């Protein structure tokens, strides 16, 4: 009697959809956007880039459950528009993975302002939606 219940339970676990736990960014703009991401792993700061997102596409930047509550994003589109903030991290023009956020210029990097993303204390995944800034007179 117990065996059919275990088989049914095992089958339901195998057929259950897998839950994704990732940090994603969606580009909801009309142009391509280059993205950089910064975060702490609990011991050190890391900044990484560049992901190039086509218009109306999404990209997973980090796979797996979120390890921190705060993440930092910088984005720039083809016409020079930016998504930036006041949290300064190290970057460079070409693909990079930089440990630490101090002394960017001294270490040969650029210093770029990222905006903060608060995912909450218990979030296991998060998606950032980039949109075009409101244009005067458009009502957005």
């Amino acid at each position: 009697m117990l065996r059919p219940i275990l088989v049914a339970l095992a089958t339901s676990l195998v057929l259950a959809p897998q839950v994704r736990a990732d940090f994603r960014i969606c580009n909801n703009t009309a142009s391509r956007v280059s993205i950089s991401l910064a975060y702490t792993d609990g011991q050190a700061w890391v900044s990484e880039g560049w992901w190039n997102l086509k218009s109306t596409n999404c990209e997973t930047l980090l796979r797996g459950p979120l390890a921190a509550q705060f993440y930092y994003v910088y984005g720039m589109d083809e016409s020079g528009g930016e998504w930036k903030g006041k949290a300064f991290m190290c970057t460079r023009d070409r693909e990079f993975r930089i440990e630490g956020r101090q002394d960017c210029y001294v270490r040969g990097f650029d210093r770029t302002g990222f905006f903060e993303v608060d995912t909450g204390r218990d979030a296991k995944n998060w998606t950032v939606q980039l949109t075009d800034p409101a244009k005067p007179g458009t009502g957005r």
Side-chain angles (χ1 to χ4, degrees):
M1 188 71 135
L2 183 59
R3 186 176 179 156
I5 293 172
L6 291 176
V7 170
L9 179 60
T11 303
S12 68
L13 291 175
V14 170
L15 299 176
Q18 289 185 349
V19 176
R20 301 278 325 186
D22 301 324
F23 187 91
R24 297 170 31 96
I25 293 194
C26 292
N27 175 8
N28 297 316
T29 72
S31 54
R32 186 175 62 90
V33 175
S34 295
I35 299 294
S36 180
L37 177 68
Y39 54 92
T40 181
D41 62 8
Q43 296 180 2
W45 283 96
V46 175
S47 55
E48 299 183 70
W50 296 98
W51 289 268
N52 293 303
L53 280 71
K54 294 179 183 175
S55 176
T56 68
N57 280 333
C58 297
E59 180 80 26
T60 299
L61 305 188
L62 295 174
R63 296 194 184 282
L66 300 182
Q69 178 177 346
F70 297 99
Y71 291 82
Y72 299 85
V73 176
Y74 172 79
M76 180 174 51
D77 69 17
E78 296 172 311
S79 59
E82 295 180 292
W83 292 263
K84 61 185 179 177
K86 296 180 181 178
F88 290 93
M89 308 289 173
C90 301
T91 61
R92 66 174 3 151
D93 288 340
R94 62 184 188 274
E95 186 177 331
F96 67 90
R97 182 179 186 339
I98 301 169
E99 293 188 16
R101 61 184 282 191
Q102 73 288 347
D103 302 320
C104 298
Y105 296 127
V106 172
R107 297 190 298 148
F109 304 121
D110 296 320
R111 186 172 176 261
T112 305
F114 287 57
F115 69 87
E116 182 177 88
V117 177
D118 183 348
T119 64
R121 290 182 183 261
D122 299 323
K124 300 299 179 211
N125 59 63
W126 198 265
T127 300
V128 173
Q129 305 284 341
L130 294 181
T131 59
D132 286 318
K135 296 177 183 166
T138 62
R140 290 195 291 161

